[in-house]
Amino acid sequence: MALHIGIVGLPNVGKSTLFNALTRTRGAQAANYPFCTIEPNVGIVEVPDERLQKLAELARPEKVIPAAIEFVDIAGLVRGASKGEGLGNQFLAAIREADAICEVVRLFPGDVIHVEGSVDGRRDRETVETELCLADLDVLERRIEKVRGAARSGDKEKQRELTLIEKLLAGLKAGQLASAVPLSPEERFFAHGFSLLTLKPVIYAANVSEEQLHTVSAHHAREQLNLPSSAQVIVISARIEEDLQDLPPAEAQAFLRELSVTSSGLDQLIRAAYAALGYQTFFTAGPKEVRAWTITRGATAPKAAGVIHSDFEKGFIRAETIAYEDYVNLGGEQKAKETGKMRSEGKEYVVRDGDVMHFRFST
């Protein structure tokens, strides 16, 4: 299943332009007026990974299948969205389905109408996140009413849930995102069942002009947005990225080099999303296909098998595993096997980024 990232922000900050650039389409209407996007635009994007092509050159498969990310361009949010203002209800419903949020914040100047009348990245970020917090408060306040009675009757599980909800409510009322509230691993796992918007990982995309690309770093953007050093921030010019879609890959790379930009916005965003979600990649390689699979860091071999098919996890026997570097340096699976670089790993093996794996299982 593709990773699902919701692109959010105030109206006219460049969400649809960024969506068009990321998906290399003109699918999302981008115009100089608020609420240009009403229904969410959806696009599937292949995850760029040089390793996939190198594996394909050695395995010579019938097809090559990269990992994928689904981007959703969601209607712009305004003050009062948590109470249904603007397109608030549609906005909140669409974002609830996302694995992670890409919050686009406008830093570029110019004549494009701003819904607040001026460009102020910190204010805009706080507006968006205040509305998300208010929506989460509403969810938790409705939930706590249902939990209190059962907790009073002595239900231990409901008592633990009540304690967790009270902790989250206190944090949200103090202006914290749910993700910033100190929780134990067990509490965090349980809290994901509440579908809170502010518990989702956030990547901030600071949308700048071409001129600002040379002067605004991720560090400067964090300062302008008043974010902690741990925040995932990328600096991107959505307009330039959209122009790149009309160029062949080699010309696009040359254009980026002329601008002293080392990687495209898509590459930056995907790296940030993988980091925020704790994801990594493993591969399967054979004559039929070479394929990239996404898995969380720390996952065991049976969990990796389950990403391919649930039956693989249920009947897992072992995983024949080759490190990516060994596979490439030795020229493929056969040499890796002959030199002892193919390992037979069991149920406790923790998958490493880049592992090339073949699963043995019983039905």
Side-chain angles (χ1 to χ4, degrees), residues 60-216:
R60 299 183 180 278
E62 294 175 14
K63 55 184 176 180
V64 178
I65 305 175
I69 289 184
E70 182 179 87
F71 287 104
V72 183
D73 174 31
I74 299 169
L77 175 149
V78 293
R79 293 182 190 276
S82 58
K83 303 300 181 185
E85 290 294 326
L87 297 170
N89 293 331
Q90 289 173 254
F91 175 94
L92 298 173
I95 195 174
R96 219 173 282 283
E97 302 300 317
D99 297 308
I101 296 169
C102 173
E103 185 176 332
V104 181
V105 185
R106 175 180 169 180
L107 297 185
F108 67 87
D111 298 330
V112 176
I113 297 168
H114 192 292
V115 72
E116 295 281 3
S118 62
V119 176
D120 184 332
R122 175 177 176 174
R123 177 204 61 210
D124 294 353
R125 176 188 67 78
E126 291 174 349
T127 296
V128 170
E129 292 175 2
T130 295
E131 294 303 323
L132 299 184
C133 285
L134 289 171
D136 283 350
L137 278 168
D138 184 55
V139 168
L140 291 176
E141 284 169 348
R142 282 187 279 111
R143 190 179 188 105
I144 202 170
E145 293 303 318
K146 299 176 182 178
V147 172
R148 277 200 180 106
R152 289 195 196 100
S153 68
D155 186 319
K156 298 294 184 185
E157 184 176 333
K158 292 300 181 183
Q159 288 173 353
R160 287 193 292 271
E161 183 177 350
L162 179 61
T163 299
L164 174 57
I165 293 174
E166 289 173 340
K167 188 182 293 189
L168 289 166
L169 280 171
L172 288 166
K173 288 176 180 177
Q176 286 182 300
L177 303 182
S179 58
V181 176
L183 299 176
S184 69
E186 182 182 6
E187 287 176 323
R188 192 165 295 277
F189 177 81
F190 196 86
H192 280 292
F194 300 156
S195 297
L196 300 180
L197 303 175
T198 64
L199 197 60
K200 296 178 184 295
V202 180
I203 303 103
Y204 297 91
N207 191 10
V208 301
S209 66
E210 179 178 340
E211 293 74 21
Q212 289 173 307
L213 274 177
H214 304 289
T215 59
V216 179

